[in-house]
Amino acid sequence: MTAFDVAEADRLLSTTRAVRRRIDTDRPVADDVLFDCIDVAEQAPSGGNVASRRWLVIRDPATKRRLAELYAESGEFMTKIADRLEGTGHAQEKVFASSAHLVEHFDAAPALVIAGIWGRHDDSGRPGLFDSVLQSAWSFNLALRARGLGTAWTTMLNAREAELTEILGIPPGVTTVVTFPVGYTIGTDFKAVARRPAEEITYFERWGFTRRRPSADGTPRVAAGPGVTVEVDIAARPAVVWPLISDPTVPSRFETELDAAEWLTEAPHGVGSRFAGTNRLGDRTWEIENHVLEYEEGRSFAWGTVDPQDPGAVWRFEIEEVGPRSRLRFSVVIGERNNLTAVNALADPDQEGRVLAGRRKMMRTAMTHTIEGIRALAERTD
Ligand SMILES: Cc1cc2nc3c(=O)[nH]c(=O)nc-3n(C[C@H](O)[C@H](O)[C@H](O)COP(=O)(O)O)c2cc1C
């Protein structure tokens, strides 16, 4: 038997959302519920086990108003972005609409709760007092949610330290980390949202070494879909990066394993299009036919080698919009058949991990060259 009802614990952990529009502004939040939540939050770990966190609750309307004015000054950009995104169906439209709502109603929540700590960022790289707030502040969110309350994690007031100090009497030496507008939520039916799955962002043994599926014995296995992911942040918009990743001839310009590529099908290219690639490893070269499996303009371009039904490898470029920049991910998942790495790895089960590690190191080097080359091209043309 497990110690907890795991499904219920996971439901709490995965449905604690940023609540901005569904805060009940008319229902007061009593001290006892805040004390309870803070007591729970204080169970979180802290560097050196020193109890240095401090919590500040603000209910006075005039004080809340002054903080709301500061928040609105810092958050003006959110309103502008929300206006720009309205009606576009953009992935971030809802978040910005919600954030803009908070900018206009920051003082409407019955209580503002600031989590701070005795300590300053000293850039020493040592785990300091400062690092001890976040885990506790998130526990506070969870404790609120468990009791029918909600909040949103806000940080914009941190940039207004001088004013906060003056208004709230915060002493020098204390760092404020997060301000929570707290209230009971209108309804409690919050949902988990889509996030990138663990398999895509979890690496095993070496940075970038992925597993498509769990390995039964925890060791690298061909059957687990071993892969590599590399990423780079590019100072250019996705529209600038897209033509570079959806043209397979581009990687061949860099020092990668791909010497040349050539479309075998007519433009416009999309899912089902094919291209030939000439690969080179040391003094060995070979030709592979590639099949486009995914073609989502501005977002993703993926292809499978050899056989589209059972690819030797699936390669994927993905662009994530990060403000005015792009994060480019380049990944590969090695298939169980139709590639030499799998053949070599499976030839001797004792050597499976070693063969996969060696090949993946080479891939990671070539893939890093590729994304760095794309970054250089994109930043030049932006
Ligand atoms: C470090 C950090 C800073 C944040 N700052 C703000 C903020 O200043 N204002 C705000 O409205 N939301 C802020 N958020 C909340 C995020 O915007 C929120 O997590 C996002 O909208 C996704 O919503 P979800 O948490 O419900 O998935 C912050 C979150 C984090 C982790």
Side-chain angles (χ1 to χ4, degrees):
M1 208 179 92
T2 51
F4 292 94
D5 179 338
V6 174
E8 192 61 358
D10 285 355
R11 188 172 74 84
L12 173 65
L13 290 167
S14 54
T15 64
T16 302
R17 301 260 66 83
V19 184
R20 305 186 185 89
R21 288 185 278 204
R22 286 174 58 188
I23 291 292
D24 187 340
T25 54
D26 297 326
R27 183 170 170 192
V29 175
D31 278 350
D32 57 358
V33 70
L34 292 177
F35 278 156
D36 285 350
C37 292
I38 292 167
D39 278 338
V40 169
E42 281 297 318
Q43 292 295 320
S46 59
N49 203 20
V50 180
S52 304
R53 293 178 284 251
R54 297 294 179 266
W55 304 78
L56 179 57
V57 178
I58 299 136
R59 291 203 189 83
D60 169 52
T63 311
K64 284 198 296 178
R65 183 93 284 273
R66 290 183 70 188
L67 297 183
E69 283 162 13
L70 289 180
Y71 191 82
E73 280 171 30
S74 305
E76 209 187 333
F77 77 97
M78 290 218 200
T79 317
K80 285 195 178 132
I81 298 175
D83 288 347
R84 191 156 55 76
L85 295 183
E86 195 180 337
T88 60
H90 188 278
Q92 300 281 22
E93 183 184 346
K94 276 192 181 161
V95 166
F96 275 98
S98 167
S99 301
H101 174 91
L102 185 61
V103 169
E104 283 153 30
H105 301 87
F106 197 71
D107 55 343
L112 296 177
V113 178
I114 296 179
I117 191 153
W118 274 103
R120 308 293 292 171
H121 254 315
D122 63 1
D123 288 329
S124 66
R126 281 177 280 124
L129 292 172
F130 191 80
D131 308 295
S132 299
V133 187
L134 302 183
Q135 54 282 51
S136 178
W138 184 244
S139 291
F140 177 68
N141 277 231
L142 297 168
L144 289 173
R145 164 89 172 119
R147 290 163 176 75
L149 293 89
T151 188
W153 189 288
T154 80
T155 48
M156 284 194 301
L157 286 182
N158 298 338
R160 309 304 295 263
E161 191 170 47
E163 290 97 330
L164 284 192
T165 299
E166 195 258 314
I167 299 169
L168 303 171
I170 297 170
V174 167
T175 306
T176 65
V177 177
V178 49
T179 305
F180 296 115
V182 174
Y184 283 89
T185 57
I186 300 169
T188 56
D189 57 328
F190 298 96
K191 293 189 175 61
V193 292
R195 298 275 202 241
R196 210 176 256 290
E199 303 85 82
E200 294 182 14
I201 52 169
T202 306
Y203 305 144
F204 291 89
E205 312 303 342
R206 290 289 181 276
W207 191 262
F209 285 14
T210 54
R211 235 168 242 176
R212 192 73 200 146
R213 295 174 288 279
S215 160
D217 62 0
T219 65
R221 296 281 165 198
V222 171
V228 178
T229 294
V230 296
E231 296 178 300
V232 68
D233 278 351
I234 300 180
R237 293 194 175 277
V240 175
V241 182
W242 169 252
L244 302 172
I245 64 160
S246 55
D247 175 354
T249 66
V250 172
S252 62
R253 292 186 222 166
F254 316 118
E255 207 187 311
T256 68
E257 295 174 13
L258 190 71
D259 252 4
E262 188 187 350
W263 282 110
L264 299 171
T265 45
E266 298 291 313
H269 299 293
V271 173
S273 297
R274 289 178 293 118
F275 62 92
T278 308
N279 294 52
R280 179 183 45 78
L281 208 53
D283 48 13
R284 205 164 54 82
T285 59
W286 70 101
E287 285 260 331
I288 288 189
E289 190 169 293
N290 301 285
H291 305 259
V292 177
L293 302 175
E294 225 174 272
Y295 190 99
E296 200 182 330
E297 192 144 350
R299 292 183 65 87
S300 67
F301 179 76
W303 68 95
T305 64
V306 185
D307 177 355
Q309 307 306 324
D310 189 8
V314 174
W315 297 84
R316 176 176 282 108
F317 280 117
E318 281 170 275
I319 311 172
E320 206 174 330
E321 193 174 0
V322 186
R325 301 166 67 93
S326 305
R327 178 162 305 144
L328 179 63
R329 281 169 72 85
F330 187 25
S331 62
V332 62
V333 175
I334 300 168
E336 291 187 60
R337 279 165 295 276
N338 294 324
N339 72 86
L340 207 56
T341 304
V343 172
N344 290 339
L346 293 172
D348 178 357
D350 290 341
Q351 298 296 321
E352 198 171 344
R354 198 187 55 79
V355 171
L356 289 175
R359 182 70 187 102
R360 286 193 287 177
K361 259 172 130 166
M362 292 162 84
M363 285 170 151
R364 190 176 56 187
T365 303
M367 291 163 76
T368 304
H369 281 305
T370 305
I371 56 170
E372 284 298 341
I374 290 171
R375 182 174 66 84
L377 284 181
E379 292 184 349
R380 207 179 308 151
T381 53
D382 193 21

